[in-house]
Amino acid sequence: LAFLTPGIIYFLLPFLLWFLNNKLVKYPPDGSAMTKVWKIITVAFKYNKGNVFKKGFWETAKPSNLREQGITTFLNKPISAQWTDKDAEDVRRTLVACMVFLYFPIYNCNDGKI
């Protein structure tokens, strides 16, 4: 029973997708989010001169702040077309949330695993 129930659900999913195909909202692919992330990180490092500990490090990567400084293009394309202030804030929040995992190597070394 532990394998039968998930197996039945798993094998019924293609029929469910076929039945709901015309009701699904389909969006065209718009590229990888990682390209935006790397561009935002690159701009933040470039205009902070690599000083990660500077207050407002991520603020400098926002298009509104770059526009105030007179910077409107990155790699010969307008910055506002490449990412938004919300994208830069999302990158900041994601990296802050991932800092929790920096503790794991220290924990494993102290716990006698290495």
Side-chain angles (χ1 to χ4, degrees):
L1 188 61
F3 292 101
L4 182 65
T5 306
I8 290 170
I9 293 171
Y10 181 78
F11 288 113
L12 287 178
L13 283 177
F15 299 108
L16 181 68
L17 286 173
W18 176 75
F19 179 73
L20 295 174
N21 186 30
N22 57 354
K23 295 178 179 134
L24 295 175
V25 177
K26 299 173 188 148
Y27 297 104
D30 61 348
S32 174
M34 288 303 293
T35 56
K36 281 186 188 178
V37 170
W38 285 114
K39 288 176 184 177
I40 292 170
I41 291 172
T42 302
V43 166
F45 270 102
K46 181 178 179 181
Y47 293 112
N48 285 306
K49 297 178 178 59
N51 187 2
V52 181
F53 301 107
K54 180 181 175 185
K55 188 162 176 95
F57 176 80
W58 295 106
E59 296 297 318
T60 57
K62 293 184 177 181
S64 59
N65 293 341
L66 291 169
R67 199 175 312 113
E68 289 174 4
Q69 296 175 6
I71 303 163
T72 57
T73 60
F74 179 70
L75 299 175
N76 298 324
K77 293 180 184 173
I79 290 177
S80 59
Q82 295 183 39
W83 69 86
T84 62
D85 285 355
K86 185 183 179 310
D87 292 331
E89 183 63 24
D90 288 345
V91 170
R92 183 196 70 80
R93 289 178 55 211
T94 301
L95 291 178
V96 166
C98 288
M99 284 195 314
V100 152
F101 299 109
L102 294 176
Y103 174 71
F104 287 171
I106 297 169
Y107 173 77
N108 283 329
C109 287
N110 289 334
D111 196 34
K113 303 288 186 204
I114 294 181

